[in-house]
Amino acid sequence: MTTIQPAASRAERLLSFNLGDFPVPQGTEEEWRFTPLERMEDFFADEVSGELPAISASEPSLLEKVTHDDDRLGRIMPPEDRVAALAWNSSKDAYVLTLPKDTKLEREVVVTINGSGLKDVSALHLLIDAQPFSEATVVVNHVGSARLAEGIEIDVESGAHLTFVTIQDWDDDAVHTSSNRAHVARDGNLKHIVVSLGGDLVRTTTSVDFGGENGEVNLLGAYFVDAGQHIENRLLVDHNQPNCKSNATYKGALQGDDAHSVWIGDVLIQPNAEGTDTYELNRNLVLTEGARADSVPNLEIETGEIEGAGHASATGRFDDEQLFYLRSRGIPEDQARRLVVRGFFAELINQIGVESVQSKLMESIEKELDIVLELAE
């Protein structure tokens, strides 16, 4: 069996398009130790050939189906784990969404990935190409049921401004892994938003690097985890250029037995990345007994010439003092609980800046709160 020694630095992590470079995970590896591997063993095969979910776009002229040898693919960065490499090697076709140069799109482009009870693992590859000085919002919405290994490349070219949203609104039995690999060129701006609500197991890895000075990245995430559900978010921001900024803010709520969230936030500031300004934050609100949140922020700094760098992480239970305060002022308990949870998510939701996504998230939170209140009775 091949043994790979863990990298001393995230800069030395294994990156490869070759599936054989990644052994089958055993659960002891750092990148897999929180993941319930027994629920996704079929994702570790040498190849997959399951039927793809249906794919459609609100602006069909921007989305094209291409062969896997299209020279626009594979330029961002190689896969970082076995399932990401599997998705790359098993995708015979791919999709490219092009946001034209010097164009501002007034309406968001919605790409819908719809599974319909698909039982076998399938692989999907999607490239979002934000050409120079374009400005757009792209929403990728996952619905239905599937077992999907997904690779998404995001190329933010010079001066482009892209808001990218991925929504995991799967049915309860879906298993979804998504490798989001983004590159932000000089003066580019990426707002990357992950909203995870449905699915049995949802694992999203987001890795970003820079191609020039004055790049800016804002990573936002919201998740609501129910009984038996596993939602995992892994982030890496590789500050490999001077004078770039990054911010990460993820918030999640958990309820029910064996509800499990994982958030791993890695920020690497390389020796040449003078002037870096970065901060990452994760907050988890545990609403009932039996739920568990793992949160691990990591900050690796290889130069002292930076503007600022920091991180914070906290996991707490429902604040009974806040609840008592509201009830003492005549607010019924069910309304008081709703107010506390809404307040927890409010700042993050306001940062999203996409009205349709904000409304969708608030609607989902209200539905989840109905379940919380039933459990509290």
Side-chain angles (χ1 to χ4, degrees):
M1 182 179 67
T2 302
T3 301
I4 296 179
Q5 296 298 324
S9 165
R10 291 292 283 154
E12 301 170 2
R13 69 196 184 281
L14 176 61
L15 298 171
S16 178
F17 290 104
N18 183 7
L19 181 64
D21 290 339
F22 298 97
V24 174
Q26 302 300 306
T28 57
E29 304 85 354
E30 175 58 34
E31 64 268 32
W32 293 106
R33 66 188 178 99
F34 291 109
T35 310
L37 300 184
E38 69 279 1
R39 287 153 70 172
M40 55 175 296
E41 290 180 349
D42 47 352
F43 282 72
F44 303 131
D46 292 334
E47 60 179 354
V48 299
S49 56
E51 181 183 350
L52 276 177
I55 301 172
S56 60
S58 61
E59 300 290 340
S61 62
L62 301 179
L63 183 67
E64 58 181 313
K65 187 176 182 179
V66 301
T67 58
H68 193 70
D69 59 0
D70 190 293
D71 61 8
R72 291 172 292 181
L73 304 177
R75 298 182 307 174
I76 304 301
M77 67 178 74
E80 296 178 85
D81 62 47
R82 182 177 176 88
V83 180
L86 176 71
W88 170 262
N89 286 280
S90 298
S91 301
K92 295 180 176 59
D93 297 312
Y95 292 84
V96 177
L97 181 67
T98 303
L99 306 171
K101 179 180 179 180
D102 296 320
T103 301
K104 179 179 180 179
L105 300 182
E106 298 297 336
R107 294 185 301 179
E108 61 257 31
V109 180
V110 180
V111 177
T112 301
I113 298 174
N114 191 344
S116 54
L118 304 177
K119 301 300 183 183
D120 297 325
V121 179
S122 57
L124 172 66
H125 193 83
L126 171 66
L127 165 64
I128 311 294
D129 183 10
Q131 295 187 344
F133 303 101
S134 61
E135 185 172 345
T137 296
V138 175
V139 179
V140 178
N141 192 24
H142 302 85
V143 295
S145 179
R147 300 180 71 80
L148 180 63
E150 179 183 61
I152 299 179
E153 293 183 285
I154 304 170
D155 191 3
V156 181
E157 300 187 42
S158 298
H161 283 64
L162 174 65
T163 296
F164 173 81
V165 187
T166 174
I167 302 175
Q168 286 59 248
D169 197 18
W170 295 107
D171 293 345
D172 291 342
D173 61 344
V175 176
H176 179 207
T177 67
S178 184
S179 173
N180 290 203
R181 306 190 289 275
H183 178 76
V184 179
R186 183 182 181 91
D187 298 319
N189 187 296
L190 171 64
K191 181 186 286 188
H192 183 283
I193 303 163
V194 180
V195 178
S196 297
L197 302 168
D200 176 61
L201 187 159
V202 175
R203 187 179 194 265
T204 305
T205 60
T206 302
S207 297
V208 186
D209 66 8
F210 297 91
E213 294 191 41
N214 302 317
E216 186 167 348
V217 175
N218 192 13
L219 304 176
L220 303 175
Y223 46 92
F224 213 120
V225 192
D226 287 324
Q229 191 178 18
H230 178 93
I231 291 181
E232 183 167 343
N233 288 282
R234 289 179 170 267
L235 286 66
L236 169 63
V237 181
D238 184 354
H239 279 274
N240 58 334
Q241 298 289 333
N243 302 316
C244 293
K245 296 181 180 180
S246 69
N247 180 78
T249 304
Y250 273 61
K251 288 189 175 184
L254 302 90
Q255 64 182 3
D257 290 340
D258 297 322
H260 187 201
S261 71
V262 176
W263 181 87
I264 309 295
D266 288 319
V267 174
L268 168 64
I269 303 175
Q270 298 206 36
N272 65 324
E274 297 91 351
T276 290
D277 189 359
T278 182
Y279 193 82
E280 57 178 349
L281 169 71
N282 178 228
R283 292 279 188 264
N284 296 290
L285 181 61
V286 178
L287 300 176
T288 66
E289 298 291 336
R292 171 186 168 189
D294 289 299
S295 180
V296 184
N298 299 300
L299 185 58
E300 183 178 348
I301 304 174
E302 297 181 352
T303 176
E305 301 297 324
I306 61 173
E307 290 295 319
H311 58 69
S313 170
T315 298
R317 299 193 176 276
F318 202 96
D319 194 330
D320 290 330
E321 290 187 6
Q322 283 185 319
L323 189 61
F324 176 79
Y325 176 85
L326 293 170
R327 292 187 66 190
S328 69
R329 277 148 181 79
I331 299 174
E333 182 173 349
D334 60 340
Q335 294 184 27
R337 287 181 179 273
R338 289 182 186 274
L339 287 172
V340 171
V341 177
R342 286 174 189 158
F344 174 76
F345 280 107
E347 182 182 1
L348 174 66
I349 291 173
N350 290 335
Q351 289 184 59
I352 291 174
V354 183
E355 185 176 350
S356 62
V357 176
Q358 293 179 169
S359 299
K360 168 70 176 175
L361 182 53
M362 284 304 304
E363 178 184 339
S364 297
I365 289 172
E366 291 298 328
K367 290 180 180 178
E368 297 290 351
L369 286 174
D370 290 338
I371 298 173
V372 175
L373 295 175
E374 289 178 4
L375 292 172
E377 291 178 355

